[in-house]
Amino acid sequence: MGNAKGRKFHKGVSLGVSVLLAAAVLGGTACRQEPPPAAGPPEKITLAYPTTMLSVLTHIAYRKGYFLAEGLEVTPQLHPFGKPALRAVLDGKADLAVVADTPIMFAVTGGEKIAILAVTGTSRRAVSIVARRDRGIAKAADLKGKRIGVPLGTTGDFFLDSLLTVQGIDRRKIRIVDLKPEEMLNALRQGKVDAVSIWNPTRRKIEAALQENGVRIDDDNIYSDVSCLAARGDYVARHPETVRKALRALLRAETFVRTRPAEAREITAALTGIDPSSVREIWGLYTFQVLLDQALIVSLEDQTRWAVRQGLTPRREVPNYLDFIYTEGLLAVRPEAVRIIR
């Protein structure tokens, strides 16, 4: 990292006490692990991750037994999106979490000691606006004056604000409604909102439900969704080998996705609840790769400036995110995947 202090995590950590845990239950074969034989008793950990497309590597590593092969007995803790998964880690209810960069940014600017271990997935079209056509919305400019549902403090929130900025629409000229993903379809049907800013699989399900009355608004150039493996800084300091084991399992999943994409899509369909044909259609919008690169820091800094400008965080300056990225784990298992300028 940028200096000796940035290369090692501080062991003293002060964690928040707020409690928010929203678990989703994944039934059927999606929760059955396929363990290969492992030498010695495995280490037990709890891994919180969302039932979204950007959890693909994590879920494949679990389903195919790669965590067990590395000596980790993983208890999956499933959430509808990444923000509550990170909250579970901060509250000590999970050891590792898969979460997008926006909730991480809010946690860091809120004073939490987060350790980002790796990026595990990216997409330039993971988040979109889905609107009701009968509310007079056909393009982005039509969002002015409308009620838009979004889970505040998430990638959907950042994407919406970025889109409004590009369109020259003052955020105060629309009505923001804080909605959980699972609340969005009913809110649209009941006319409580005119549009929502959301990711897959929720986006796909809403589009299917609205059919001809639905319109999707994308912009590939304003935001790239980034999914990360994260933990508390004190946990990483105490369990460096656990981190290496988890990263090795995810790297095996990365190889699986590359060499057996059809089976990877089947596993993803079970995780997300999207039908297999839809998963196949949107598969190319995502990149599933374990790395740490400069784009992550740029994204975190951009989002921090947005949060400060909108008064969404008590911070008034951009933190040094090198202090919150733990490179040692990935350097130990795949050094060429670390592409951060120190």
Side-chain angles (χ1 to χ4, degrees), residues 157-187:
D157 195 5
F158 180 67
F159 174 80
L160 172 61
D161 198 77
S162 300
L163 184 68
L164 294 174
T165 299
V166 168
Q167 293 296 320
I169 301 174
D170 190 325
R171 187 180 174 103
R172 293 170 296 183
K173 299 298 183 181
I174 65 171
R175 181 184 171 191
I176 300 292
V177 181
D178 187 11
L179 290 177
K180 297 176 182 177
E182 61 268 27
E183 298 171 333
M184 288 184 164
L185 180 55
N186 282 339

mmCIF file of all heavy atoms in Angstrom, residues 157-187:
data_model
loop_
_atom_site.group_PDB
_atom_site.id
_atom_site.type_symbol
_atom_site.label_atom_id
_atom_site.label_comp_id
_atom_site.label_asym_id
_atom_site.label_seq_id
_atom_site.Cartn_x
_atom_site.Cartn_y
_atom_site.Cartn_z
ATOM 1 N N ASP A 157 -28.794 3.488 -5.008
ATOM 2 C CA ASP A 157 -28.855 4.890 -4.609
ATOM 3 C C ASP A 157 -27.815 5.699 -5.379
ATOM 4 O O ASP A 157 -28.106 6.778 -5.922
ATOM 5 C CB ASP A 157 -28.611 4.981 -3.102
ATOM 6 C CG ASP A 157 -29.001 6.326 -2.509
ATOM 7 O OD1 ASP A 157 -29.551 7.168 -3.223
ATOM 8 O OD2 ASP A 157 -28.746 6.522 -1.308
ATOM 9 N N PHE A 158 -26.594 5.191 -5.432
ATOM 10 C CA PHE A 158 -25.524 5.900 -6.135
ATOM 11 C C PHE A 158 -25.803 5.976 -7.637
ATOM 12 O O PHE A 158 -25.594 7.023 -8.267
ATOM 13 C CB PHE A 158 -24.182 5.214 -5.883
ATOM 14 C CG PHE A 158 -23.031 5.894 -6.572
ATOM 15 C CD1 PHE A 158 -22.632 7.163 -6.178
ATOM 16 C CD2 PHE A 158 -22.348 5.267 -7.601
ATOM 17 C CE1 PHE A 158 -21.562 7.796 -6.805
ATOM 18 C CE2 PHE A 158 -21.286 5.891 -8.226
ATOM 19 C CZ PHE A 158 -20.885 7.161 -7.844
ATOM 20 N N PHE A 159 -26.277 4.872 -8.218
ATOM 21 C CA PHE A 159 -26.586 4.880 -9.652
ATOM 22 C C PHE A 159 -27.674 5.902 -9.967
ATOM 23 O O PHE A 159 -27.575 6.659 -10.940
ATOM 24 C CB PHE A 159 -27.032 3.488 -10.111
ATOM 25 C CG PHE A 159 -27.506 3.461 -11.540
ATOM 26 C CD1 PHE A 159 -26.599 3.413 -12.585
ATOM 27 C CD2 PHE A 159 -28.866 3.506 -11.845
ATOM 28 C CE1 PHE A 159 -27.025 3.406 -13.905
ATOM 29 C CE2 PHE A 159 -29.307 3.502 -13.159
ATOM 30 C CZ PHE A 159 -28.378 3.445 -14.193
ATOM 31 N N LEU A 160 -28.720 5.927 -9.157
ATOM 32 C CA LEU A 160 -29.810 6.869 -9.394
ATOM 33 C C LEU A 160 -29.303 8.302 -9.362
ATOM 34 O O LEU A 160 -29.612 9.097 -10.266
ATOM 35 C CB LEU A 160 -30.905 6.674 -8.336
ATOM 36 C CG LEU A 160 -32.030 7.720 -8.333
ATOM 37 C CD1 LEU A 160 -32.772 7.727 -9.654
ATOM 38 C CD2 LEU A 160 -32.979 7.472 -7.161
ATOM 39 N N ASP A 161 -28.520 8.634 -8.347
ATOM 40 C CA ASP A 161 -28.035 10.004 -8.244
ATOM 41 C C ASP A 161 -27.113 10.349 -9.409
ATOM 42 O O ASP A 161 -27.158 11.471 -9.939
ATOM 43 C CB ASP A 161 -27.302 10.205 -6.924
ATOM 44 C CG ASP A 161 -27.161 11.668 -6.556
ATOM 45 O OD1 ASP A 161 -28.158 12.254 -6.106
ATOM 46 O OD2 ASP A 161 -26.070 12.225 -6.751
ATOM 47 N N SER A 162 -26.290 9.402 -9.827
ATOM 48 C CA SER A 162 -25.399 9.639 -10.962
ATOM 49 C C SER A 162 -26.194 9.872 -12.236
ATOM 50 O O SER A 162 -25.872 10.759 -13.044
ATOM 51 C CB SER A 162 -24.452 8.450 -11.142
ATOM 52 O OG SER A 162 -23.654 8.247 -9.996
ATOM 53 N N LEU A 163 -27.253 9.093 -12.426
ATOM 54 C CA LEU A 163 -28.093 9.256 -13.612
ATOM 55 C C LEU A 163 -28.791 10.615 -13.597
ATOM 56 O O LEU A 163 -28.862 11.306 -14.631
ATOM 57 C CB LEU A 163 -29.126 8.132 -13.675
ATOM 58 C CG LEU A 163 -30.025 8.113 -14.910
ATOM 59 C CD1 LEU A 163 -29.216 7.766 -16.154
ATOM 60 C CD2 LEU A 163 -31.164 7.107 -14.734
ATOM 61 N N LEU A 164 -29.301 11.016 -12.444
ATOM 62 C CA LEU A 164 -29.954 12.320 -12.340
ATOM 63 C C LEU A 164 -28.976 13.448 -12.650
ATOM 64 O O LEU A 164 -29.330 14.418 -13.336
ATOM 65 C CB LEU A 164 -30.520 12.508 -10.925
ATOM 66 C CG LEU A 164 -31.654 11.572 -10.510
ATOM 67 C CD1 LEU A 164 -32.009 11.794 -9.044
ATOM 68 C CD2 LEU A 164 -32.888 11.762 -11.391
ATOM 69 N N THR A 165 -27.744 13.314 -12.174
ATOM 70 C CA THR A 165 -26.732 14.338 -12.436
ATOM 71 C C THR A 165 -26.451 14.462 -13.922
ATOM 72 O O THR A 165 -26.387 15.571 -14.469
ATOM 73 C CB THR A 165 -25.432 13.999 -11.681
ATOM 74 O OG1 THR A 165 -25.702 13.967 -10.278
ATOM 75 C CG2 THR A 165 -24.358 15.033 -11.961
ATOM 76 N N VAL A 166 -26.286 13.326 -14.592
ATOM 77 C CA VAL A 166 -26.035 13.334 -16.037
ATOM 78 C C VAL A 166 -27.196 13.980 -16.786
ATOM 79 O O VAL A 166 -27.003 14.702 -17.778
ATOM 80 C CB VAL A 166 -25.795 11.896 -16.542
ATOM 81 C CG1 VAL A 166 -25.816 11.838 -18.070
ATOM 82 C CG2 VAL A 166 -24.463 11.369 -16.014
ATOM 83 N N GLN A 167 -28.417 13.754 -16.304
ATOM 84 C CA GLN A 167 -29.600 14.295 -16.958
ATOM 85 C C GLN A 167 -29.897 15.745 -16.554
ATOM 86 O O GLN A 167 -30.827 16.355 -17.074
ATOM 87 C CB GLN A 167 -30.819 13.424 -16.630
ATOM 88 C CG GLN A 167 -30.761 12.035 -17.215
ATOM 89 C CD GLN A 167 -30.781 12.043 -18.742
ATOM 90 O OE1 GLN A 167 -31.510 12.820 -19.359
ATOM 91 N NE2 GLN A 167 -29.976 11.174 -19.335
ATOM 92 N N GLY A 168 -29.116 16.274 -15.615
ATOM 93 C CA GLY A 168 -29.358 17.633 -15.157
ATOM 94 C C GLY A 168 -30.599 17.777 -14.301
ATOM 95 O O GLY A 168 -31.204 18.852 -14.232
ATOM 96 N N ILE A 169 -30.986 16.692 -13.625
ATOM 97 C CA ILE A 169 -32.174 16.707 -12.767
ATOM 98 C C ILE A 169 -31.742 16.854 -11.315
ATOM 99 O O ILE A 169 -30.969 16.047 -10.800
ATOM 100 C CB ILE A 169 -33.006 15.415 -12.943
ATOM 101 C CG1 ILE A 169 -33.461 15.254 -14.396
ATOM 102 C CG2 ILE A 169 -34.215 15.426 -12.008
ATOM 103 C CD1 ILE A 169 -34.161 13.936 -14.678
ATOM 104 N N ASP A 170 -32.213 17.880 -10.664
ATOM 105 C CA ASP A 170 -31.928 18.091 -9.237
ATOM 106 C C ASP A 170 -32.596 16.982 -8.431
ATOM 107 O O ASP A 170 -33.787 16.695 -8.616
ATOM 108 C CB ASP A 170 -32.466 19.455 -8.801
ATOM 109 C CG ASP A 170 -31.994 19.864 -7.404
ATOM 110 O OD1 ASP A 170 -31.850 18.974 -6.539
ATOM 111 O OD2 ASP A 170 -31.801 21.068 -7.191
ATOM 112 N N ARG A 171 -31.824 16.326 -7.541
ATOM 113 C CA ARG A 171 -32.374 15.245 -6.715
ATOM 114 C C ARG A 171 -33.595 15.720 -5.934
ATOM 115 O O ARG A 171 -34.494 14.936 -5.644
ATOM 116 C CB ARG A 171 -31.287 14.729 -5.769
ATOM 117 C CG ARG A 171 -31.670 13.475 -4.960
ATOM 118 C CD ARG A 171 -30.509 13.067 -4.062
ATOM 119 N NE ARG A 171 -30.841 11.965 -3.167
ATOM 120 C CZ ARG A 171 -30.472 10.694 -3.342
ATOM 121 N NH1 ARG A 171 -29.776 10.366 -4.413
ATOM 122 N NH2 ARG A 171 -30.788 9.764 -2.466
ATOM 123 N N ARG A 172 -33.644 17.012 -5.612
ATOM 124 C CA ARG A 172 -34.786 17.554 -4.876
ATOM 125 C C ARG A 172 -36.041 17.648 -5.728
ATOM 126 O O ARG A 172 -37.137 17.876 -5.205
ATOM 127 C CB ARG A 172 -34.421 18.929 -4.315
ATOM 128 C CG ARG A 172 -33.338 18.902 -3.239
ATOM 129 C CD ARG A 172 -32.842 20.279 -2.903
ATOM 130 N NE ARG A 172 -32.185 20.910 -4.060
ATOM 131 C CZ ARG A 172 -31.605 22.112 -4.024
ATOM 132 N NH1 ARG A 172 -31.609 22.807 -2.883
ATOM 133 N NH2 ARG A 172 -31.043 22.619 -5.105
ATOM 134 N N LYS A 173 -35.894 17.450 -7.039
ATOM 135 C CA LYS A 173 -37.039 17.532 -7.948
ATOM 136 C C LYS A 173 -37.733 16.189 -8.136
ATOM 137 O O LYS A 173 -38.679 16.058 -8.918
ATOM 138 C CB LYS A 173 -36.603 18.069 -9.312
ATOM 139 C CG LYS A 173 -36.019 19.476 -9.267
ATOM 140 C CD LYS A 173 -37.036 20.495 -8.771
ATOM 141 C CE LYS A 173 -36.449 21.909 -8.798
ATOM 142 N NZ LYS A 173 -37.414 22.913 -8.289
ATOM 143 N N ILE A 174 -37.233 15.170 -7.451
ATOM 144 C CA ILE A 174 -37.918 13.877 -7.450
ATOM 145 C C ILE A 174 -38.188 13.501 -5.995
ATOM 146 O O ILE A 174 -37.608 14.073 -5.069
ATOM 147 C CB ILE A 174 -37.092 12.767 -8.134
ATOM 148 C CG1 ILE A 174 -35.801 12.496 -7.340
ATOM 149 C CG2 ILE A 174 -36.770 13.131 -9.570
ATOM 150 C CD1 ILE A 174 -35.063 11.291 -7.815
ATOM 151 N N ARG A 175 -39.048 12.532 -5.796
ATOM 152 C CA ARG A 175 -39.329 12.044 -4.445
ATOM 153 C C ARG A 175 -38.698 10.676 -4.273
ATOM 154 O O ARG A 175 -39.064 9.729 -4.973
ATOM 155 C CB ARG A 175 -40.829 11.967 -4.191
ATOM 156 C CG ARG A 175 -41.160 11.494 -2.780
ATOM 157 C CD ARG A 175 -42.649 11.336 -2.566
ATOM 158 N NE ARG A 175 -42.930 10.680 -1.304
ATOM 159 C CZ ARG A 175 -44.126 10.229 -0.940
ATOM 160 N NH1 ARG A 175 -45.160 10.400 -1.747
ATOM 161 N NH2 ARG A 175 -44.296 9.636 0.224
ATOM 162 N N ILE A 176 -37.723 10.591 -3.369
ATOM 163 C CA ILE A 176 -37.047 9.327 -3.097
ATOM 164 C C ILE A 176 -37.829 8.559 -2.039
ATOM 165 O O ILE A 176 -38.168 9.098 -0.984
ATOM 166 C CB ILE A 176 -35.611 9.564 -2.602
ATOM 167 C CG1 ILE A 176 -34.788 10.320 -3.658
ATOM 168 C CG2 ILE A 176 -34.948 8.243 -2.240
ATOM 169 C CD1 ILE A 176 -34.502 9.531 -4.893
ATOM 170 N N VAL A 177 -38.116 7.288 -2.330
ATOM 171 C CA VAL A 177 -38.809 6.409 -1.388
ATOM 172 C C VAL A 177 -37.866 5.260 -1.044
ATOM 173 O O VAL A 177 -37.446 4.512 -1.935
ATOM 174 C CB VAL A 177 -40.125 5.869 -1.977
ATOM 175 C CG1 VAL A 177 -40.834 4.973 -0.960
ATOM 176 C CG2 VAL A 177 -41.029 7.018 -2.422
ATOM 177 N N ASP A 178 -37.498 5.129 0.211
ATOM 178 C CA ASP A 178 -36.598 4.063 0.652
ATOM 179 C C ASP A 178 -37.351 2.736 0.651
ATOM 180 O O ASP A 178 -38.290 2.536 1.432
ATOM 181 C CB ASP A 178 -36.070 4.386 2.051
ATOM 182 C CG ASP A 178 -34.988 3.410 2.509
ATOM 183 O OD1 ASP A 178 -34.503 2.617 1.687
ATOM 184 O OD2 ASP A 178 -34.625 3.453 3.706
ATOM 185 N N LEU A 179 -36.954 1.828 -0.225
ATOM 186 C CA LEU A 179 -37.615 0.529 -0.349
ATOM 187 C C LEU A 179 -36.593 -0.597 -0.337
ATOM 188 O O LEU A 179 -35.505 -0.461 -0.904
ATOM 189 C CB LEU A 179 -38.392 0.439 -1.674
ATOM 190 C CG LEU A 179 -39.648 1.283 -1.844
ATOM 191 C CD1 LEU A 179 -40.212 1.084 -3.255
ATOM 192 C CD2 LEU A 179 -40.698 0.921 -0.808
ATOM 193 N N LYS A 180 -36.934 -1.696 0.277
ATOM 194 C CA LYS A 180 -36.151 -2.915 0.148
ATOM 195 C C LYS A 180 -36.464 -3.550 -1.201
ATOM 196 O O LYS A 180 -37.559 -3.357 -1.745
ATOM 197 C CB LYS A 180 -36.490 -3.889 1.281
ATOM 198 C CG LYS A 180 -36.137 -3.367 2.663
ATOM 199 C CD LYS A 180 -36.587 -4.344 3.738
ATOM 200 C CE LYS A 180 -36.276 -3.800 5.133
ATOM 201 N NZ LYS A 180 -36.765 -4.707 6.193
ATOM 202 N N PRO A 181 -35.540 -4.314 -1.770
ATOM 203 C CA PRO A 181 -35.801 -4.925 -3.072
ATOM 204 C C PRO A 181 -37.097 -5.731 -3.124
ATOM 205 O O PRO A 181 -37.847 -5.651 -4.102
ATOM 206 C CB PRO A 181 -34.572 -5.825 -3.284
ATOM 207 C CG PRO A 181 -33.491 -5.148 -2.529
ATOM 208 C CD PRO A 181 -34.160 -4.572 -1.300
ATOM 209 N N GLU A 182 -37.374 -6.476 -2.052
ATOM 210 C CA GLU A 182 -38.564 -7.327 -2.061
ATOM 211 C C GLU A 182 -39.864 -6.529 -1.971
ATOM 212 O O GLU A 182 -40.949 -7.075 -2.183
ATOM 213 C CB GLU A 182 -38.483 -8.346 -0.923
ATOM 214 C CG GLU A 182 -38.421 -7.755 0.475
ATOM 215 C CD GLU A 182 -37.021 -7.524 0.992
ATOM 216 O OE1 GLU A 182 -36.098 -7.322 0.161
ATOM 217 O OE2 GLU A 182 -36.845 -7.540 2.234
ATOM 218 N N GLU A 183 -39.788 -5.236 -1.673
ATOM 219 C CA GLU A 183 -40.977 -4.393 -1.585
ATOM 220 C C GLU A 183 -41.299 -3.680 -2.898
ATOM 221 O O GLU A 183 -42.373 -3.090 -3.042
ATOM 222 C CB GLU A 183 -40.785 -3.329 -0.496
ATOM 223 C CG GLU A 183 -40.582 -3.884 0.901
ATOM 224 C CD GLU A 183 -40.178 -2.813 1.907
ATOM 225 O OE1 GLU A 183 -39.573 -1.806 1.494
ATOM 226 O OE2 GLU A 183 -40.487 -2.996 3.104
ATOM 227 N N MET A 184 -40.391 -3.728 -3.842
ATOM 228 C CA MET A 184 -40.480 -2.843 -5.002
ATOM 229 C C MET A 184 -41.611 -3.181 -5.964
ATOM 230 O O MET A 184 -42.312 -2.290 -6.456
ATOM 231 C CB MET A 184 -39.142 -2.827 -5.744
ATOM 232 C CG MET A 184 -38.070 -2.084 -4.984
ATOM 233 S SD MET A 184 -36.529 -1.974 -5.906
ATOM 234 C CE MET A 184 -35.703 -0.664 -4.975
ATOM 235 N N LEU A 185 -41.781 -4.443 -6.264
ATOM 236 C CA LEU A 185 -42.801 -4.806 -7.241
ATOM 237 C C LEU A 185 -44.189 -4.399 -6.772
ATOM 238 O O LEU A 185 -44.966 -3.791 -7.526
ATOM 239 C CB LEU A 185 -42.755 -6.308 -7.538
ATOM 240 C CG LEU A 185 -43.776 -6.812 -8.562
ATOM 241 C CD1 LEU A 185 -43.673 -6.040 -9.871
ATOM 242 C CD2 LEU A 185 -43.594 -8.310 -8.802
ATOM 243 N N ASN A 186 -44.512 -4.689 -5.524
ATOM 244 C CA ASN A 186 -45.824 -4.289 -4.999
ATOM 245 C C ASN A 186 -45.979 -2.778 -4.970
ATOM 246 O O ASN A 186 -47.060 -2.243 -5.258
ATOM 247 C CB ASN A 186 -46.045 -4.867 -3.596
ATOM 248 C CG ASN A 186 -46.441 -6.333 -3.615
ATOM 249 O OD1 ASN A 186 -46.927 -6.831 -4.636
ATOM 250 N ND2 ASN A 186 -46.224 -7.023 -2.524
ATOM 251 N N ALA A 187 -44.898 -2.070 -4.639
ATOM 252 C CA ALA A 187 -44.957 -0.610 -4.612
ATOM 253 C C ALA A 187 -45.248 -0.051 -6.000
ATOM 254 O O ALA A 187 -46.012 0.912 -6.153
ATOM 255 C CB ALA A 187 -43.648 -0.040 -4.068
#
